């Protein structure tokens, strides 16, 4: 089943990874305002996060690779890096499992490195691997080589990589990548879902018909795997895709 938005229920191998004690306790919820307050040192906050209690939420779309977590906004340094503080504050309110979003090959590597660095024990931070639709031009020079590099990254880190993506279509920002290129490499990335039997971390803006068409045409590729449409436009009923 492919779910959309915050109603995504059992996704990202939650049960297999031990993120939840049972499916009934799955509450996928985006937490906001985690960046408010930073009284403790980064080390103290990281320790507090590791010592936090019961998991109540899992944030499945954490963009820690964004430069703002290094204190940079629009090219200007505003504060010191505060990733550890953000993670600790999330844990303090019961959001102790985070999935870091990969947006292309390099940011997927960065997300993986951050997960390993900030959570050496491997119980709290996980990541996705994939190429966002607006960055699919990166496939064009050598699609098979690019796919193989994605495969190698996933294959060597199956204890951390919990989904394929963020992938899909974004016709709202075709100035970054043409629609036909997005379509081609969205379909290509779905092969990784079949190869690794991982859930899909999907993205769709202003592209409903082509998005659903590609999912339908590739049904045999992803059949049996779950997923979530993290970003979407359109009505709820028009965004829900129910496989047979």
């Amino acid at each position: 089943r492919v779910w959309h938005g915050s109603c995504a229920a059992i996704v990202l191998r939650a049960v297999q990874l031990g993120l939840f004690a049972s499916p009934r306790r799955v509450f996928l919820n985006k937490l906001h305002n985690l960046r408010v307050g930073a009284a403790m040192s980064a080390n103290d906050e990281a320790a507090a996060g590791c010592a936090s209690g019961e998991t109540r939420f899992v944030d499945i779309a954490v963009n820690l690779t964004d430069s703002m977590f290094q204190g940079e906004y629009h090219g200007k340094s505003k504060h010191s890096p505060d990733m550890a503080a953000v993670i600790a504050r999330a844990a303090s309110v019961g959001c102790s499992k985070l999935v870091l979003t990969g947006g292309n090959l390099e940011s997927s590597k960065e997300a993986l490195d951050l997960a390993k660095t900030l959570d050496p024990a491997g119980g709290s931070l996980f990541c996705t691997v994939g190429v966002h639709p607006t960055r699919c031009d990166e496939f064009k020079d050598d699609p098979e080589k690019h796919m193989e590099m994605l495969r190698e990254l996933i294959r060597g880190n199956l204890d951390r990589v919990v989904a394929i993506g963020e992938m899909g279509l974004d016709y709202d920002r075709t100035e970054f990548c043409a629609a036909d290129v997005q379509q081609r490499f969205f379909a290509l990335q779905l092969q990784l879902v079949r190869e690794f039997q991982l859930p899909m971390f999907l993205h769709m803006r202003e592209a409903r018909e082509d998005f659903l068409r590609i999912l339908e045409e590739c049904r045999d590729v992803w059949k049996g795997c779950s997923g979530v449409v993290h970003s979407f436009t359109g009505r709820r009923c028009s965004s829900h895709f129910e496989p047979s």
Side-chain angles (χ1 to χ4, degrees):
R1 179 180 296 238
V2 179
W3 300 82
H4 73 275
S6 60
C7 69
I10 305 168
V11 297
L12 307 181
R13 290 197 306 168
V15 176
Q16 296 96 314
L17 285 169
L19 301 187
F20 310 102
S22 72
R24 294 180 206 172
R25 293 176 55 208
V26 178
F27 300 100
L28 298 179
N29 187 21
K30 291 293 293 178
L31 300 182
H32 299 286
N33 301 321
L34 291 178
R35 303 178 63 81
V36 178
M40 295 186 290
S41 70
N43 288 339
D44 288 341
E45 289 192 310
C50 293
S52 63
E54 181 182 21
T55 296
R56 298 176 57 227
F57 303 101
V58 175
D59 193 331
I60 64 168
V62 185
N63 292 307
L64 283 188
T65 59
D66 194 298
S67 60
M68 71 173 62
F69 293 102
Q70 297 294 334
E72 296 181 8
Y73 297 80
H74 306 292
K76 296 182 179 180
S77 179
K78 298 295 185 178
H79 58 77
S80 60
D82 62 352
M83 284 183 286
V86 171
I87 293 168
R89 285 195 295 276
S92 72
V93 293
C95 186
S96 57
K97 310 290 185 180
L98 309 178
V99 180
L100 312 188
T101 304
N104 66 350
L105 179 61
E106 290 307 312
S107 70
S108 294
K109 291 178 180 178
E110 186 178 353
L112 179 61
D113 288 342
L114 283 173
K116 291 180 176 180
T117 300
L118 297 172
D119 175 34
S124 299
L125 302 186
F126 304 90
C127 68
T128 73
V129 171
V131 181
H132 190 279
T134 60
R135 302 166 95 169
C136 279
D137 277 341
E138 296 177 13
F139 276 103
K140 289 169 66 175
D141 288 342
D142 193 336
E144 285 307 316
K145 181 179 179 181
H146 207 76
M147 278 287 286
E148 187 54 36
M149 288 190 289
L150 291 170
R151 285 190 187 97
E152 290 177 3
L153 188 62
I154 297 165
R155 190 181 297 120
N157 297 281
L158 285 170
D159 58 332
R160 296 279 188 166
V161 179
V162 294
I164 306 300
E166 184 174 357
M167 61 178 172
L169 300 176
D170 191 326
Y171 291 178
D172 191 47
R173 294 182 288 179
T174 52
E175 68 270 23
F176 297 110
C177 184
D180 61 323
V181 175
Q182 294 184 34
Q183 292 175 33
R184 177 185 175 190
F185 296 117
F186 174 29
L188 185 64
Q189 287 184 85
L190 288 173
Q191 294 179 14
L192 298 172
V193 176
R194 175 171 59 187
E195 291 174 30
F196 294 100
Q197 289 297 292
L198 288 171
M200 300 173 287
F201 189 57
L202 300 167
H203 175 104
M204 187 276 285
R205 284 182 183 162
E206 306 298 340
R208 173 182 173 270
E209 291 185 5
D210 286 338
F211 180 79
L212 295 179
R213 173 182 57 78
I214 291 170
L215 284 175
E216 178 62 34
E217 291 173 354
C218 297
R219 181 189 295 271
D220 290 342
V221 175
W222 60 265
K223 187 177 181 179
C225 294
S226 58
V228 57
V229 186
H230 160 62
S231 177
F232 72 96
T233 55
R235 294 175 300 153
R236 180 182 187 279
C237 60
S238 68
S239 301
H240 188 243
F241 185 77
E242 180 74 45
S244 60

